[in-house]
C-alpha cells in the first residue's frame, strides 16, 4: 500500500473537523530526552508494558517483548495490510493485538483485518471480528455515505478481562468480551471546524474545497483509548478531513457505559464528556500516574499536511489534570525529535515509552523527563 493509502486508512479519511484552540506547552525538549530500548524496527507502533517488560508491534504484524537484555516474539497477527497493529497488555500479562482495515479502499478486506486477537503461547487467537459487528451497527452520524465502515485503531484492556476498542471509521468505542460479544459504549459525533489555510483547491476526491475559514463538518475519527488513574475510559480523536489543527478532543467516558454520546455541541452533558481540547491528529493515549496522560500526535501540522508532502514531525505531550474532571496544563516532551510517532505507554513505576515512526525504520524509546 502507498503512503497515501495507508494514511487514508489510518485517518479513515473521514469527510471533514472546531475553531483552532491553542494549547499551552513549555519549552518542550529542555528537560526530556529519548533512550532507545529496541532499534532496527520496521514501522514500530503499538507499545504496552507488564512488570519489567515492554511489548511493541511492527509492520508485519509481529509483536515482541523485551526486558532490556533479551527480546522474544509473542506472536504474529494476520491482516495488517502493511500497518502495524495496536496492542495492550492486561493485568495478567496477556497481550492483545488489534488489526485495522487492511487492503485497498473499495476492494475486499485482507483476511484477518479489523480483528481483535489474543497472543497466547506464540499464537494469535481470534477474539472478535470488529468489522462484522460494525456491519450491523451503523454510525448514525456518518458523513461519508458509508455508515458501516470499520477501521479499528485503538485498544485498551480492562481489569475484568474485557477489552476496549476505538474504531476510527465507525467513530465509536466498543467493549469486547473474551467470548467475542461486543457492545457499543459510545459514539463520537462530528464537529464543525474551519477549513485551515494552505490546503489545495480540491479535496482528495477531486471536489473543490471552500475557502480557508469556512465552517464545515468533520468526523471524530476515534483512534485511541486508555484507562485513566481515576478508572474512567478516555478516547482520543484524529479529526477527519480537513484535519484542522487544534480540533482533536479527548473524551472522558463513565465506566460501564452503553450507548453514550460524545457531543462537541454539548461537551459537558451525559456519560461522555469532553476532557481536553486543542490537540492535533491524536493517534494514541496512555493513562499515567496521578491523573496524567501521555498523548501522541502523528504530525503536529496534521495528518493531512503529511499526506500533502509537508512536515513529518509529531508530538508527545504530558497532559496534567485540572479541576472538575477537566484537563489542565500540558507539556510537550522531546519536542522536534519524533517522526510520525505511533504509540505510547506508561509502566507501573511511571516510566514512559514511545514508538515510531509508523512507516519505515524506527525504534521504541524510553522517555526521560522531569
Amino acid at each position: 500500500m502507498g503512503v497515501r493509502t495507508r494514511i487514508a486508512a489510518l485517518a479513515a479519511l473521514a469527510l471533514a473537523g472546531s475553531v483552532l484552540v491553542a494549547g499551552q506547552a513549555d519549552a518542550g525538549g529542555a528537560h526530556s530526552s529519548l533512550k532507545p530500548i529496541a532499534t532496527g524496527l520496521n514501522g514500530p507502533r503499538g507499545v504496552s508494558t507488564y512488570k519489567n517488560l515492554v511489548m511493541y508491534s511492527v509492520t508485519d504484524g509481529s509483536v515482541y517483548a523485551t526486558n532490556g537484555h533479551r527480546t522474544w516474539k509473542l506472536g504474529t497477527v494476520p491482516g495488517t495490510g502493511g500497518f502495524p497493529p495496536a496492542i495492550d497488555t492486561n493485568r495478567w500479562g496477556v497481550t492483545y493485538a488489534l488489526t485495522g482495515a487492511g487492503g485497498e479502499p473499495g476492494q475486499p478486506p485482507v483476511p484477518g483485518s479489523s480483528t481483535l486477537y489474543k497472543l497466547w503461547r506464540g499464537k494469535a487467537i481470534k477474539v472478535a471480528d470488529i468489522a462484522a459487528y460494525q456491519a450491523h451497527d451503523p454510525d448514525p452520524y456518518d458523513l461519508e455515505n458509508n455508515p458501516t465502515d470499520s477501521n479499528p485503531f485503538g485498544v485498551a484492556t480492562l481489569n475484568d478481562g474485557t477489552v476496549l476498542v476505538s474504531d476510527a471509521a465507525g467513530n465509536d468505542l466498543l467493549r469486547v468480551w473474551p467470548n467475542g460479544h461486543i457492545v457499543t459504549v459510545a459514539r463520537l459525533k462530528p464537529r464543525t471546524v474551519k477549513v485551515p489555510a494552505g490546503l489545495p483547491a480540491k479535496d482528495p476526491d477531486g471536489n473543490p474545497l471552500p475557502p480557508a475559514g469556512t465552517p464545515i463538518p468533520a468526523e471524530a475519527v476515534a483512534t485511541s483509548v486508555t484507562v485513566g488513574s481515576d478508572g474512567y475510559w478516555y478516547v482520543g480523536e484524529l479529526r477527519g478531513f480537513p484535519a484542522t489543527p487544534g480540533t482533536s478532543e479527548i473524551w472522558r467516558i463513565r465506566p460501564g457505559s452503553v450507548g453514550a454520546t460524545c457531543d462537541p455541541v454539548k461537551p459537558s452533558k451525559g456519560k461522555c464528556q469532553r476532557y481536553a481540547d486543542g490537540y492535533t491528529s491524536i493517534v494514541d493515549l496512555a493513562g499515567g500516574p496521578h491523573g496524567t496522560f501521555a498523548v501522541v500526535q502523528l504530525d503536529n501540522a496534521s495528518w493531512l499536511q503529511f499526506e500533502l508532502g509537508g512536515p513529518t514531525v509529531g508530538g508527545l505531550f504530558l497532559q496534567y489534570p485540572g479541576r472538575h474532571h477537566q484537563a489542565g496544563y500540558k507539556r510537550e516532551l522531546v519536542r522536534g525529535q519524533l517522526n510520525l510517532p505511533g504509540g505510547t505507554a506508561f509502566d507501573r513505576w511511571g516510566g514512559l515509552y514511545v514508538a515510531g515512526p509508523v512507516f519505515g525504520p524506527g525504534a521504541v524509546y524510553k522517555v526521560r523527563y522531569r
Side-chain angles (χ1 to χ4, degrees):
M1 300 172 72
V3 168
R4 184 187 182 284
T5 301
R6 287 182 290 177
I7 286 293
L10 182 155
L13 260 190
L15 247 181
S18 150
V19 178
L20 180 128
V21 180
Q24 284 186 304
D26 72 354
H31 302 294
S32 58
S33 62
L34 298 170
K35 176 186 177 182
I37 63 167
T39 59
L41 309 180
N42 181 16
R45 178 197 168 201
V47 187
S48 64
T49 66
Y50 176 71
K51 295 183 178 179
N52 67 328
L53 304 180
V54 177
M55 280 62 71
Y56 57 88
S57 65
V58 293
T59 295
D60 70 355
S62 295
V63 181
Y64 295 86
T66 182
N67 60 10
H69 304 286
R70 186 172 68 91
T71 300
W72 60 98
K73 184 186 288 189
L74 297 178
T76 301
V77 296
T80 62
F83 193 72
I87 65 170
D88 197 25
T89 303
N90 68 17
R91 62 186 299 185
W92 301 283
V94 178
T95 297
Y96 288 79
L98 177 71
T99 58
E104 297 290 338
Q107 299 298 314
V110 173
S113 62
S114 300
T115 300
L116 178 66
Y117 294 92
K118 178 174 71 173
L119 302 178
W120 183 252
R121 297 180 178 177
K123 297 181 179 180
I125 301 171
K126 179 179 175 180
V127 177
D129 184 331
I130 305 301
Y133 174 81
Q134 297 287 48
H136 301 282
D137 187 50
D139 176 10
Y141 311 113
D142 174 68
L143 298 176
E144 293 189 292
N145 297 317
N146 192 4
T148 59
D149 195 15
S150 178
N151 183 21
F153 206 84
V155 61
T157 60
L158 299 177
N159 288 340
D160 66 353
T162 60
V163 179
L164 297 175
V165 170
S166 59
D167 195 313
N171 298 311
D172 55 8
L173 178 66
L174 310 176
R175 187 178 183 184
V176 184
W177 271 257
N179 64 359
H181 177 66
I182 304 175
V183 299
T184 301
V185 171
R187 300 185 189 278
L188 284 67
K189 297 182 70 172
R191 182 180 195 179
T192 298
V193 305
K194 292 184 178 180
V195 175
L199 295 187
K202 296 183 179 180
D203 70 16
D205 295 321
N207 302 310
L209 278 177
T214 303
I216 63 174
E219 290 193 356
V221 189
T223 54
S224 44
V225 59
T226 192
V227 179
S229 60
D230 60 358
Y232 273 65
W233 305 342
Y234 291 78
V235 175
E237 303 170 327
L238 188 81
R239 186 57 60 206
F241 188 85
T244 305
T247 64
S248 292
E249 304 159 290
I250 299 174
W251 296 92
R252 180 177 186 261
I253 301 171
R254 186 180 302 170
S257 295
V258 176
T261 300
C262 308
D263 187 351
V265 176
K266 300 177 181 178
S268 301
K269 301 292 185 180
K271 296 179 180 179
C272 178
Q273 299 187 12
R274 184 162 61 202
Y275 176 74
D277 200 354
Y279 281 99
T280 300
S281 298
I282 296 173
V283 288
D284 203 18
L285 298 175
H290 311 299
T292 59
F293 291 90
V295 184
V296 175
Q297 296 186 163
L298 177 75
D299 190 313
N300 287 346
S302 88
W303 62 267
L304 181 57
Q305 290 298 330
F306 161 56
E307 256 199 31
L308 296 173
T312 61
V313 176
L316 174 66
F317 292 81
L318 196 60
Q319 176 68 67
Y320 295 93
R323 300 177 63 185
H324 308 300
H325 308 302
Q326 295 290 305
Y329 174 74
K330 70 180 180 183
R331 169 190 176 196
E332 186 174 5
L333 305 177
V334 294
R335 178 178 293 175
Q337 299 180 53
L338 295 173
N339 175 37
L340 301 177
T344 188
F346 284 97
D347 63 27
R348 62 181 181 178
W349 300 283
L352 180 60
Y353 301 84
V354 66
V358 290
F359 306 124
V364 177
Y365 302 92
K366 185 168 186 179
V367 183
R368 293 170 167 169
Y369 65 95
R370 59 181 178 86

